[in-house]
Amino acid sequence: MSFLTSVNSISWLIGGPQGSGVDSAANIFAKTCAKEGFHIFGKREFYSNIKGEHSYFTIRISDKPVNSHLEEINVLVSFDAETLFRHADKVSAGGMIIYDSSLVETVLEEVPTIDFEASNRIRKLLQDSGQSMNLNGMLEFAKSRGCRVYGLPYFEMLETVAQKMNDPKLSKISRVVNVMAISASISLLGIKKDKLINAIQEVFGSKPKLLASNIEAAEYAYSYIGTKYDTKNITYNLTPKDALKDYLLLSGSQAAAIGKIVAGCRFQTYYPITPASDESEFLESNQIIDQVDGKSGSIVVVQTEDEIAAITMAIGASLTGVRTATATSGPGFSLMAEALGWAGMNEVPLVVTMYQRAGPSTGLPTRHEQSDLLFAINAGHGEFPKIVLASGNIEESFYDAIKAFNFAEIFQLPVIHLLDKAISSSIQTCKRFSNDLKIERGEFKNTIDKNQSEGAAGHFQRFKLDDSPISTRVPIGTENAIFWNTGDEHTEEGHISEDPENRNKMMDKRMKKLDLALEKINQDDMAICHDFDSDGKNVVVSWGSTKGAILEALEKLSEEGNKMKFVQIRLLHPFPTETVKNFLKEAKLVIDVEMNYTSQLGSLVQQNTGREVDYKIVKYNGRPISTTELYIALKAILSGNNERRIVLDGGT
Amino acid sequence: MAELKLADYKTTVHNDWCPGCGDFGILNAIQMALSEMQIPRHKAVIFSGIGCSGKTPHFINVYGIHTLHGRVLPFAQGAKIANPDLEIIAVGGDGDGLGIGAGHFVGAGRKNVDIPYLIFNNAVYGLTKGQASPTLRLGEKTKSLVTPNTSNSVNPIALALVSGFTFIARSYSYDVKHLKDTIKRAITHKGLAFVDVLQPCPTYDDIHTREWYQGIDKQETGKAMPRIYKIEETGYDGTIKDESEINEKMTRILQFSSEWGDKIPVGIFYQNELIPSYHERIAENNKEYFAKPPSHQEISDNKNNPIAKIDKILDKLQIKD
Ligand SMILES: Cc1ncc(C[n+]2csc(CCOP(=O)(O)OP(=O)(O)O)c2C)c(N)n1
Ligand code: SF4
Ligand SMILES: [Mg+2]
C-alpha cells in the first residue's frame, strides 16, 4: 500500500549519531523543499543522550499540506552504518538509499549503539532473507525489494572539497558530511540547486567559514551524483505547484512561544525538561518584544531550582497582575500538583503549558505519548476548577496559547495547555500567523475606589459572593484593595474560615466557573467535527497530536468511499458533554484513537456522554501514530475486524 | 498623607496562637517596622508558608499571601521579580523554610532577589503538634518527641551564607526592639536578607524556653546569665565594604554560627551589597526592566488588540523563495 497522495509527495529520512548534524541537515533539506514550494511535515526522533546514539528526522514533502508521517520511506539518507541497519527495510520499492560506500563491510555486531533488541530484529531480517550480516547484506536486501542504492565515498569527497577550498584541515572534520548527504538526495530528487544554496545561506549565514565549506560540499555532492549515476529514470520527479506565499516553517514549541508573546505573557518560569525547555529558551532569546506603538516590551524568563518553584513563582508573579506561565512535562507537572490547587483555591489565573512525553516516571524521556490527560484533569488534591485545553497541531498551538491566557483571566483559574512531544519538536509549514485575536482580561481592574472596599472590616472583597462566580481581581499593590490569599478555605476578604455555610458558598462559587466556562467558550474551542461529507455513522474521536494522522487516514478512506467523521475534542475539562453528544448523535461506530494504554479520552467520553466507544486504537511504544498504521487499523475495523482494541506498534 | 499609626497595621482577625507564644513578639516587631518606615499599606505584601508562623499575614493589615508549606520563597520571589516596586516580606517556620523548603532556601540564595525573609525558629513543627524541626539538635527530646531526636540539625546561618544570602542576621522574638531594628535593616537591604528569629514555643519546646534564653538555670554568679548576646556590642560589624574582606568575614560568621548553648550570638552577621541583586542581573539583558517590570507591561491597546508585534520573529521563520 502506498500513501503517495500525489506523484509529488515523498517521505524522506535522514539518520545519524546524535550530535553529528542530523537536525541541521534535516532543517536545510526542509527549507530547501519549502523554498521550492513544497509543504513540509517533519518529525524528530532521538534518544535521551547527547552524543553518539542514533537519531533521525523524517520529512514528508508534498504539493499539498501534510500533517503527519508515514511508516514507509521513499528516500533514506545516511552517512553511518546504523541508519541503514535500522531503516533500510522501511524503504519502499522504487525508493532510494544514499549511503557511505566505505562502510559496506560493516558487520551488524560492530555497531555498538544498536541495542540488543534492535540487533536481534535486524539479524533475523537478514537471516530470513538469506543475506550476509553486514551492511552489504542490508543493501542487497533493499535492492531485492526494488530499492535503488547510491553509494558515496564521503571520505574521498571530503578530501576533494578540502583541496578545492585549499583547506587540508577540512578533510579531517566530518562536519560537512551531513550536507553532502542531503545535497545528494536533493540532486536525485531533481530539486534545483539554488534553493539548497539559499537554504544553506540562511542556516549558516552568520558563520562565513562554515558557510563556505558547506556550500562547497553541497555543490560537489550535488554534481557528484549527476556524474556518477544515471539519474534519468528517477522515480520521484517532483514539481511544485506554486511558491508557498506567507508560509512559516516552525516547530510546535516555537508556535506556542510566539503565541505567548502575542497573548501578553510577560513572565515565564521553567525547570529544564524535554520536551518543554525549547519553548522557554525560545522566549528567552526573544525577551525584548516589539510593540505596535513603536515602544518595546519584554518578557522575564526565570529558570528555577525545581518545578515546585517554577509554578509557585509563576503564581506569585501572577498576583501582581502580569500574564504568567510555566512550561513543563510529566515529571515536572507531577511536582506542580499541590500548587495548582492553591491557584484554583485563590482564583489565580495561570497557564501551565504541559508538553507530554512517554511516562510513567522518567519513562521514555525523549519519546511521544498522550498519557497525562486524566492526570491533567485530576491534578491536585481536593476539588477546584481548572481548564484543560489540548491543541491538535503546530498551528493550533499558537492560537490556543493565546486562548489559554484569556480563559485563565476570564475565569480566574489555572489553565493547562496540553501539548506533546509530537507537536513540540515536529516542524511543519503553516500559514503565517495572524494576531487578530483579542486579549480578554475578564474582571481584571487596576484601580479601585475607596467605597468599593466594603468587607467586614471595610476591606476589599476579593472573593465576593455574588451572582457571578467571577469577582473583581486586582494586582497586589493596588490602593484601596488590600486582600488576603490562603490555601485554607476563606472569607470574601481572604481570611481563614472553617464555617460550614461559608465553605459551601465558596465551593459553589469556585466550581460554578466550570459551568460558566461551558457557557462562554466557543464551540470550536470545545470540539471540532471534521466530517468528510460522511453520514456521521462512523466516527473517530481523539484529541491532541493524533489529529494529523487521523485527518490523512480519513481523507484516504474517504477517497476510497469509506467516509468517516472525526471529532477532535479540544476542551477536555470541563468536558463539553452537549457538544460531543451532538456530534456523536448519529454514530453507529465510535472509534477512539489515542497514544496511551488505557484510552483515557474513551473513558471520559463514556463517563460524560454515556456513550461507550466501540473500538479503541491505542499506541504506547513511544513513537507517534503514523498515517499508514492508522489507515490500516481503521480499514480493518471497517471491514469487520472483531478485535475491540488495536495496539499500534509502528516506528523505529 | 496622614501618618500611619501602629494600629493601622493590625487587623481584627482573631489570633489563635497559644498564650505566650514567641510569634506574638515577631508579629509586633513586623508591624512596628512597617509603621516606623511608614510603608504605605497597599505597597506591602506579607508572604508566608504553612505552620503557626504561616498565619502571620492575616494579622497584619497589608496585602497578605498565605502560601503552601515550604514554598513561601518562590511565591514571594515571583511577585518581587514581577513587580520590584512592592515591599515584599517573606515569613515562615523553621520546618517550612529549612525542611520541606530547604531547596528553595538554597535556590533563593543563588538568586538574591531583593526581599527580607524571617524564619520563626522554634525547633519544632508547631502546627502539627511538636515534632522535631530541622533546627532541633541531635539527641534533644522536646515534649512531644517519643524518643530523642535522631536527626541532626541544620545550621541556618551557615546555610544562608553558603547559599549566597547577602544579609544574614539573627534576633530573638522577646527582644522586640532588637528584632524590629533588625527587620528594618533587612527591609532596606538591597538583596535577599535572612533573619533567623529565635522563637520559643511554650507549648511544645520545653528545652529552649524563655527562661532558658534568660539563663535562669545558670545562676553561678548568683543571678541569671542570659544566653543571648549582641554581636554589635562586641564591636563586630558585618558590613562588607570591599570584596577583599569577604573571606575573613565568612570565617568569622561560621564561628558565630556554631556558637550555641551558653552563648548565643544575635545581630547582623553579614551584609554585602556589592553582589548584584537578581533585579540588577535581569536589567543587564533587559534595560527597561526597572522602568517596565512584568507587572507594568502593557499587553493590549484600548480595543483589546494585542500590542506585541511579532513580524520580526515570523519573518525569520517565513519561507523565502
Ligand atoms: C505538603 C505538606 N506537608 C505537610 C503539611 C502539614 N504541616 C502543616 S504545618 C507543618 C509544620 C510546621 O512547622 P514549621 O514550619 O516549623 O512552622 P511552625 O508551626 O512551627 O510555626 C506541617 C508539616 C502541610 N501543610 N503540607
Ligand atoms: S504551638 Fe508553639 S508555635 Fe504554635 S502557636 Fe502554640 S506556642 Fe506558638
Ligand atoms: Mg517551627
Side-chain angles (χ1 to χ4, degrees), chain B residues 29-254:
Chain B
I30 297 171
Q31 289 162 332
M32 284 163 71
L34 290 171
S35 124
E36 284 183 18
M37 294 174 81
Q38 287 291 296
I39 295 176
R41 294 197 303 112
H42 69 277
K43 282 280 177 205
V45 193
I46 314 281
F47 280 77
S48 69
I50 294 290
C52 300
S53 45
K55 295 178 182 175
T56 307
H58 296 284
F59 310 131
I60 305 180
N61 197 359
V62 302
Y63 280 97
I65 312 294
H66 181 186
T67 71
L68 289 168
H69 193 33
R71 316 302 168 200
V72 58
L73 277 177
F75 270 97
Q77 290 173 95
K80 184 73 180 188
I81 297 170
N83 186 358
D85 299 345
L86 296 172
E87 205 53 75
I88 285 173
I89 300 176
V91 304
D94 44 359
D96 196 82
L98 299 166
I100 190 168
H104 305 309
F105 189 88
V106 174
R110 293 169 46 218
K111 290 205 154 48
N112 200 30
V113 173
D114 187 15
I115 44 179
Y117 174 41
L118 277 56
I119 282 189
F120 297 17
N121 184 350
N122 59 5
V124 290
Y125 281 14
L127 196 59
T128 45
K129 301 196 185 299
Q131 299 86 346
S133 94
T135 57
L136 187 69
R137 280 161 172 73
L138 177 65
E140 284 182 333
K141 185 184 169 306
T142 45
K143 215 190 272 183
S144 287
L145 299 198
V146 179
T147 53
N149 191 12
T150 48
S151 294
N152 213 335
S153 56
V154 67
N155 179 330
I157 304 295
L159 185 61
L161 187 68
V162 297
S163 302
F165 281 70
T166 50
F167 177 105
I168 301 168
R170 181 189 278 150
S171 189
Y172 177 52
S173 66
Y174 291 118
D175 187 345
V176 177
K177 181 175 176 308
H178 182 265
L179 177 55
K180 179 250 318 175
D181 289 337
T182 309
I183 294 172
K184 282 167 72 176
R185 288 281 302 273
I187 292 175
T188 43
H189 171 70
K190 184 207 79 183
L192 181 62
F194 171 52
V195 185
D196 179 26
V197 189
L198 303 174
Q199 175 240 317
C201 163
T203 306
Y204 293 115
D205 184 359
D206 50 352
I207 300 175
H208 315 96
T209 59
R210 185 176 196 152
E211 293 70 25
W212 181 81
Y213 282 112
Q214 282 167 346
I216 306 283
D217 57 321
K218 295 198 305 160
Q219 300 271 0
E220 295 101 64
T221 56
K223 61 178 190 2
M225 295 270 292
R227 289 187 151 83
I228 288 173
Y229 75 97
K230 299 193 167 100
I231 53 174
E232 287 87 352
E233 290 174 2
T234 68
Y236 178 82
D237 177 3
T239 323
I240 302 284
K241 296 174 198 82
D242 188 276
E243 306 269 355
S244 62
E245 302 167 30
I246 293 178
N247 279 346
E248 200 192 319
K249 198 131 280 174
M250 283 196 164
T251 314
R252 185 71 195 95
I253 296 164
L254 288 175

Side-chain angles (χ1 to χ4, degrees), chain A residues 227-401:
Chain A
T227 53
K228 267 282 192 277
Y229 292 98
D230 173 16
T231 52
K232 288 213 181 61
N233 294 317
I234 292 299
T235 334
Y236 311 107
N237 215 335
L238 300 174
T239 37
K241 273 193 183 140
D242 304 302
L244 293 178
K245 266 223 153 348
D246 287 330
Y247 268 84
L248 309 169
L249 176 63
L250 80 173
S251 70
S253 54
Q254 289 171 329
I258 301 169
K260 284 183 170 178
I261 292 173
V262 174
C265 172
R266 295 295 175 263
F267 190 87
Q268 164 133 330
T269 58
Y270 80 107
Y271 183 79
I273 190 165
T274 305
S277 327
D278 289 349
E279 187 204 273
S280 298
E281 281 155 25
F282 185 89
L283 285 174
E284 195 173 356
S285 330
N286 291 283
Q287 60 179 288
I288 305 300
I289 296 166
D290 289 344
Q291 289 183 183
V292 289
D293 56 6
K295 296 181 201 156
S296 66
S298 63
I299 175 167
V300 171
V301 178
V302 182
Q303 182 186 334
T304 57
E305 59 272 22
D306 59 30
E307 286 89 348
I308 299 177
I311 187 169
T312 51
M313 200 178 272
I315 296 171
S318 177
L319 292 173
T320 71
V322 58
R323 283 191 159 191
T324 301
T326 185
T328 190
S329 186
F333 189 68
S334 293
L335 294 183
M336 294 182 176
E338 187 193 14
L340 210 56
W342 195 95
M345 185 65 152
N346 289 287
E347 311 195 23
V348 182
L350 174 75
V351 172
V352 181
T353 313
M354 170 36 178
Y355 289 92
Q356 299 167 92
R357 66 186 210 189
S361 189
T362 310
L364 302 166
T366 59
R367 309 290 180 176
H368 316 69
E369 204 163 81
Q370 300 177 299
S371 50
D372 298 325
L373 173 59
L374 294 181
F375 178 45
I377 289 173
N378 295 304
H381 57 283
E383 297 163 305
F384 61 92
K386 62 169 98 67
I387 284 177
V388 180
L389 180 70
S391 302
N393 59 24
I394 292 174
E395 189 175 21
E396 277 179 38
S397 309
F398 168 80
Y399 294 102
D400 289 346

Side-chain angles (χ1 to χ4, degrees), chain A residues 82-103:
Chain A
E82 180 164 2
T83 302
L84 276 201
F85 277 125
R86 285 188 185 266
H87 302 277
D89 62 315
K90 311 275 186 336
V91 181
S92 58
M96 305 191 281
I97 297 176
I98 292 169
Y99 67 98
D100 184 343
S101 51
S102 71
L103 296 177

Side-chain angles (χ1 to χ4, degrees), chain A residues 505-572:
Chain A
K505 287 182 185 155
M506 284 295 172
M507 279 297 284
D508 291 346
K509 171 191 200 297
R510 289 188 297 266
M511 297 308 282
K512 269 191 198 149
K513 294 179 184 183
L514 294 175
D515 302 329
L516 193 68
L518 288 175
E519 255 170 57
K520 293 236 165 127
I521 292 177
N522 285 336
Q523 176 91 19
D524 279 358
D525 293 330
M526 295 194 187
I528 299 177
C529 185
H530 309 263
D531 77 358
F532 293 96
D533 302 320
S534 92
D535 56 8
K537 298 267 189 293
N538 297 335
V539 184
V540 171
V541 293
S542 191
W543 64 286
S545 64
T546 51
K547 175 178 181 171
I550 295 173
L551 288 179
E552 291 196 353
L554 293 203
E555 190 183 334
K556 183 150 177 70
L557 285 165
S558 155
E559 282 164 12
E560 296 168 3
N562 288 313
K563 293 191 191 303
M564 302 177 83
K565 74 180 186 185
F566 166 37
V567 177
Q568 179 202 354
I569 303 183
R570 288 170 32 75
L571 181 68
L572 280 314

Side-chain angles (χ1 to χ4, degrees), chain B residues 241-302:
Chain B
K241 296 174 198 82
D242 188 276
E243 306 269 355
S244 62
E245 302 167 30
I246 293 178
N247 279 346
E248 200 192 319
K249 198 131 280 174
M250 283 196 164
T251 314
R252 185 71 195 95
I253 296 164
L254 288 175
Q255 281 167 0
F256 278 134
S257 80
S258 59
E259 286 179 27
W260 188 253
D262 288 347
K263 277 174 73 84
I264 301 172
V266 299
I268 296 166
F269 299 111
Y270 181 60
Q271 180 168 21
N272 183 353
E273 295 192 330
L274 302 177
I275 294 174
S277 70
Y278 195 68
H279 313 271
E280 290 165 335
R281 298 173 201 172
I282 296 174
E284 293 258 310
N285 304 312
N286 177 353
K287 301 283 175 241
E288 292 186 303
Y289 168 73
F290 284 108
K292 273 198 294 180
S295 67
H296 296 19
Q297 296 270 322
E298 276 181 55
I299 61 167
S300 54
D301 64 15
N302 53 13

Side-chain angles (χ1 to χ4, degrees), chain A residues 79-235:
Chain A
F79 46 86
D80 68 345
E82 180 164 2
T83 302
L84 276 201
F85 277 125
R86 285 188 185 266
H87 302 277
D89 62 315
K90 311 275 186 336
V91 181
S92 58
M96 305 191 281
I97 297 176
I98 292 169
Y99 67 98
D100 184 343
S101 51
S102 71
L103 296 177
V104 288
E105 303 298 330
T106 311
V107 177
L108 177 61
E109 267 69 30
E110 280 172 7
V111 186
T113 43
I114 300 186
D115 48 290
F116 184 69
E117 292 81 1
S119 181
N120 277 349
R121 271 197 304 275
I122 299 163
R123 188 175 310 107
K124 183 159 188 313
L125 182 96
L126 290 172
Q127 254 158 15
D128 292 354
S129 52
Q131 303 293 350
S132 54
M133 289 298 137
N134 59 16
L135 211 56
N136 221 358
M138 205 70 205
L139 286 165
E140 286 305 319
F141 172 67
K143 280 200 269 184
S144 72
R145 298 176 51 250
C147 301
R148 298 154 188 248
V149 302
Y150 302 88
L152 295 181
Y154 288 116
F155 185 70
E156 286 157 35
M157 291 169 76
L158 267 178
E159 284 192 323
T160 313
V161 173
Q163 266 170 16
K164 284 188 176 197
M165 293 199 66
N166 229 337
D167 181 359
K169 266 187 292 178
L170 194 66
S171 65
K172 294 201 187 62
I173 52 161
S174 51
R175 264 279 168 78
V176 294
V177 165
N178 57 349
V179 169
M180 292 204 278
I182 60 160
S183 176
S185 76
I186 286 169
S187 176
L188 283 171
L189 289 170
I191 295 172
K192 287 184 270 336
K193 191 171 66 181
D194 57 322
K195 303 289 181 196
L196 168 64
I197 304 300
N198 286 349
I200 295 175
Q201 276 161 345
E202 267 178 41
V203 172
F204 294 110
S206 57
K207 301 165 191 149
K209 239 186 138 177
L210 268 179
L211 177 65
S213 54
N214 275 284
I215 289 185
E216 191 67 47
E219 302 242 15
Y220 182 56
Y222 192 94
S223 51
Y224 185 92
I225 285 282
T227 53
K228 267 282 192 277
Y229 292 98
D230 173 16
T231 52
K232 288 213 181 61
N233 294 317
I234 292 299
T235 334

